[in-house]
């Protein structure tokens, strides 16, 4: 087999993504005939047809699908190498962290504490949806994703899931709401409107299962998909929040909020999701191995 031409591989990747020679040529700013010629050269070097025509579009063959998977791995490795060498050429290092938008800010700060304030480290923190953050991880624009949702994995998945911490969940509200006769979960649900995470969260799923088992009917005052908003609603005395105490640790310490009761059946688990890399960010290795992580 002839030596693989990486330029041909880039053109093949563009055609596979666009599905047409015309679109790929426009994106690459070269002629359609040049793209066609070089794709044929790549097919000849691999001794395989990589595309078959379907109407006006080009569809990957089985060999083309395999080639695309390998091409993307090659490009990721190349980008990873470039990023690693750029970091080694400068004094300051960068740790790029993605965090689920709904994740506790206190937990994020706790995770990043070993890196924050170091003169030789810049921490770049981005928030977003799980889907967007995992795309950033795949593209190597993020080093790690912090989440309380385990990403779907299969035999070909590149994700590595590190279980960081497990936090209890409690009923939390203002001191004025705390009465002696409703200090247990059943009494709290009966006596108070509740502030709950939205239904798609793991924490809410656990709560709904608990009240179903106990045949309780909660009165829902508010729902929020953001832990910071749950904290603010509890401080505003909208109701009693179902929330991990770590989210409101400052309010608990100051007495603005009180932990009414612990929900022993429910916990929130925090994860760090990384991707298999030949040149891992050494800062990530440090933070994942720090005491308490």
């Amino acid at each position: 087999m002839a030596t693989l031409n990486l330029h041909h591989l880039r053109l093949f990747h563009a055609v596979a993504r666009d599905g047409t020679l015309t679109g790929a040529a426009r994106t690459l700013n070269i002629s359609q005939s040049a793209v066609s010629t070089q794709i044929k050269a790549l097919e000849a070097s691999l001794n395989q047809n990589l595309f078959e025509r379907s109407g006006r579009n080009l569809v990957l063959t089985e060999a083309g699908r395999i080639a695309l998977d390998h091409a993307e791995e090659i490009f990721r490795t190349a980008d990873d190498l470039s990023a690693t060498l750029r970091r080694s050429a400068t004094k300051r290092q960068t740790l790029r962290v993605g965090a689920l938008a709904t994740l506790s800010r206190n937990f994020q700060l706790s995770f990043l504490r070993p890196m924050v304030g170091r003169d030789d480290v810049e921490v770049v923190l981005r928030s977003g949806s799980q889907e967007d953050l995992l795309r950033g991880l795949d593209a190597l624009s993020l080093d790690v994703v912090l989440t309380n949702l385990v990403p779907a994995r299969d035999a070909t998945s590149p994700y590595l899931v590190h279980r960081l911490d497990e936090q209890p969940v409690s009923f939390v509200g203002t001191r004025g709401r705390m009465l002696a006769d409703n200090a247990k979960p059943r009494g709290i649900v009966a006596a108070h409107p509740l502030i709950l995470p939205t239904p798609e969260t793991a924490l809410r799923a656990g709560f709904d299962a608990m009240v179903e088992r106990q045949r309780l009917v909660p009165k829902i005052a508010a729902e929020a998909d953001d832990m910071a908003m749950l904290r603010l609603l509890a401080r505003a005395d909208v109701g009693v929040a179902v929330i991990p105490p770590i989210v409101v640790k400052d309010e608990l310490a100051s007495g603005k909020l009180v932990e009414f009761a612990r929900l022993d059946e429910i916990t929130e688990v925090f994860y760090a999701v990384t991707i298999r890399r030949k040149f891992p960010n050494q800062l990530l290795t440090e933070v994942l191995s720090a005491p308490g992580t």
Side-chain angles (χ1 to χ4, degrees):
M1 183 183 294
T3 302
L4 189 63
N5 187 312
L6 293 184
H7 176 62
H8 291 171
L9 207 57
R10 289 280 185 189
L11 296 181
F12 159 72
H13 184 268
V15 175
R17 286 303 181 200
D18 186 87
T20 66
L21 291 172
T22 303
R26 186 183 305 113
T27 300
L28 297 168
N29 197 28
I30 60 177
S31 70
Q32 179 179 329
S33 60
V35 176
S36 177
T37 299
Q38 294 184 62
I39 292 297
K40 289 177 181 177
L42 177 61
E43 289 179 324
S45 70
L46 296 173
N47 197 28
Q48 296 285 344
N49 291 325
L50 301 178
F51 296 101
E52 56 187 19
R53 188 165 290 281
S54 176
R56 295 184 177 182
N57 295 327
L58 294 176
V59 178
L60 289 169
T61 62
E62 182 178 357
R65 169 54 58 187
I66 293 171
L68 180 61
D69 289 343
H70 282 277
E72 290 181 336
E73 177 65 23
I74 289 169
F75 299 150
R76 278 197 297 267
T77 300
D79 292 342
D80 201 0
L81 173 60
S82 297
T84 299
L85 295 181
R86 282 197 300 271
R87 284 197 298 269
S88 65
T90 61
K91 182 180 178 181
R92 287 175 62 82
Q93 303 175 76
T94 302
L95 181 64
R96 299 160 298 177
V97 180
L100 196 64
T102 58
L103 204 65
S104 163
R105 273 47 169 183
N106 284 338
F107 169 73
Q108 294 176 43
L109 182 59
S110 176
F111 175 81
L112 294 171
R113 196 171 300 283
M115 298 293 131
V116 173
R118 280 179 46 172
D119 292 337
D120 61 333
V121 174
E122 177 185 355
V123 176
V124 177
L125 185 60
R126 298 189 177 94
S127 63
S129 67
Q130 181 101 331
E131 183 180 6
D132 289 342
L133 295 175
L134 292 179
R135 274 202 295 265
L137 196 61
D138 290 336
L140 305 179
S141 61
L142 294 174
D143 296 307
V144 61
V145 170
L146 301 179
T147 181
N148 54 9
L149 304 173
V150 179
R153 299 185 72 245
D154 56 30
T156 62
S157 172
Y159 301 126
L160 301 173
V161 180
H162 311 262
R163 190 176 187 276
L164 297 178
D165 196 9
E166 182 175 3
Q167 289 288 332
V169 176
S170 297
F171 283 118
V172 174
T174 57
R175 188 174 297 278
R177 285 187 176 274
M178 193 172 188
L179 302 175
D181 59 350
N182 60 25
K184 293 185 178 181
R186 178 175 290 275
I188 293 168
V189 173
H192 298 286
L194 300 181
I195 305 164
L196 299 176
T198 48
E200 69 273 9
T201 61
L203 196 160
R204 177 63 179 275
F207 177 81
D208 287 347
M210 184 197 77
V211 295
E212 178 69 20
R213 284 193 301 273
Q214 298 187 23
R215 298 184 179 181
L216 302 175
V217 181
K219 178 184 177 182
I220 301 175
E223 297 179 341
D225 64 358
D226 181 79
M227 287 293 171
M229 181 55 68
L230 291 176
R231 177 176 64 84
L232 291 174
L233 289 169
R235 287 180 56 171
D237 201 23
V238 172
V240 174
V242 174
I243 196 168
I246 189 175
V247 177
V248 290
K249 66 176 185 178
D250 294 337
E251 286 81 1
L252 293 175
S254 67
K256 290 181 180 178
L257 293 174
V258 178
E259 185 178 6
F260 287 15
R262 183 70 52 86
L263 296 171
D264 294 329
E265 302 175 47
I266 308 172
T267 59
E268 182 165 36
V269 182
F270 298 100
Y271 304 93
V273 182
T274 60
I275 197 169
R276 300 180 190 277
R277 296 176 62 166
K278 292 182 174 62
F279 306 98
N281 188 328
Q282 292 305 307
L283 292 176
L284 182 59
T285 303
E286 287 184 45
V287 75
L288 287 175
S289 60
T293 301

